[in-house]
Each structure stands twice: as structure tokens, then as C-alpha cells.
Amino acid sequence: MKKNIVLFVLFVLPIVAYLFFASGVNSFTKLPVITPKIADFGNWKSLDGKKVSLDKKITVLGFSGADILNNRGNYFNLNEKIYKRYHGFEDLQFVVLCPLGTEKEAQKLVDALKPFTDVSGWNFIFASPDEIKTFYKQLNLKGKLNDDLGTSYVYIIDKERNLRGRKEKKDYKEGYDTFHPSELSNEMLDDFKIILYEYRAALKKNHNATKQL
């Protein structure tokens, strides 16, 4: 009996403690605002001709650039690590801002995802190069778009159109690199859980908790 207790204390208890704190860390923090009150999208249409807005939605935002298909691996990473896990929430949207003229390439990417993903939550919208540059500039980010008006980073924007991330100098993060699956599985997933927890807590406080979040 004593031997079993010793084995439990030495091996099982530390694992249980780790899982407890690992799962609870997001409940005791808040994700800082990097850029407050960014502008909403312009009158830009999606592949199905609809207008997409940032208002009242948690948005995962990306910038495809002109070379969408050559960078499709980044979207497959995001799809596997984040999208497939959370896209069913009504208050969440995944939006990719693309240059006009890349509609066919974007559709091919969506078609490539269809065999193993419900693509209804993917929104590819299209704007002119100048409009994309202007929109990105007002995000006030340290990172830059490449010459094709794209980046491998995606950004988390809350329902009030605040861009969220990490502000501490040693751990600064304004976006998440889709080229690296480990960054999506770790930093982005952790931060994303914080955002969802914030809204769950707010809904519970107002006695309006729903299954959307």
C-alpha cells in the first residue's frame, strides 16, 4: 500500500498538477490590445459576392498576396491547427485579404481544402493593391507585407475591432506565423483560448451564455 502511495506521489501527481495548470493558465490573464479600433473592411466582396465585416466577430485575418497557391501550405497549417477546431463558432470568422485578380487561385485553394474540411468559414475577399496597403498600414504593425502584398502571419481581431497580441518586450507578438505549425499549436492556440475565455466570461456575467463561444 505504501509503495503504491509513493509511486502515485512521484509519478502521477506531478502529471496531474501540470495538466491542471496548463489547462487553466488562460483563465487568469487577458490578451493585450496591440492596435485599437482598426478600420472595418471596405466594400470588398468575397468569392460568393458577399460583403464581410469585422464588426461583432472574432476574426483571424490573413493577407494572401498574389502568390496564393505557392503559399497554400500555410493555409493548410492554419486549417489543421486552428480552423478545424474552432470554425463552428458563429461569432468567429477566418478572413484572407487578397489582391484583385487572384479570385481563381483563391477558389482553387478552397477547392483543395473541401475534401477534408467544411470550408464555409473561410472568407477570401478582394481589394486593389492600394486598398490593401492602406488597410495594412493602419494596423500599425512592426511587420511588413512582401512585394506581392502578402505575409505568412495571421492576426487576431476581437469583436470591437481591436487587434490583439502580446505586448511584453521579451515576448512581443502581433501575429502568428502560419509557416510554422508549432507556433500555431502553441502561441496562437494559447492566445486564441484567452480571447474565447474573455467572451465566455462576459456572456456568463450577463447571464447570456450561449453555445456560440
Side-chain angles (χ1 to χ4, degrees), residues 31-35 38 59-63 136-145 151-158 162-177 183 187-188 191:
L31 197 65
V33 172
I34 302 296
T35 305
I38 67 175
T59 303
V60 175
L61 174 65
F63 294 80
Y136 187 85
K137 184 178 181 180
Q138 57 99 28
L139 299 179
N140 294 321
L141 302 176
K142 294 181 179 180
K144 305 295 182 184
L145 294 177
T151 175
S152 61
Y153 285 80
V154 292
Y155 309 92
I156 297 175
I157 300 172
D158 67 23
N162 301 311
L163 191 147
R164 309 287 284 276
R166 305 183 186 187
K167 295 188 76 171
E168 291 185 13
K169 188 174 182 180
K170 64 178 182 179
D171 195 32
Y172 180 82
K173 187 165 289 294
E174 59 191 16
Y176 310 87
D177 195 349
E183 184 165 333
E187 289 96 331
M188 184 173 184
D191 292 353

Side-chain angles (χ1 to χ4, degrees), residues 193-212:
K193 287 178 180 178
I194 295 173
I195 291 290
L196 295 184
Y197 174 81
E198 288 181 26
Y199 284 105
R200 286 192 183 109
L203 287 170
K204 186 175 181 180
K205 183 177 180 181
N206 294 325
H207 306 291
N208 289 321
T210 69
K211 294 182 179 180
Q212 280 83 4

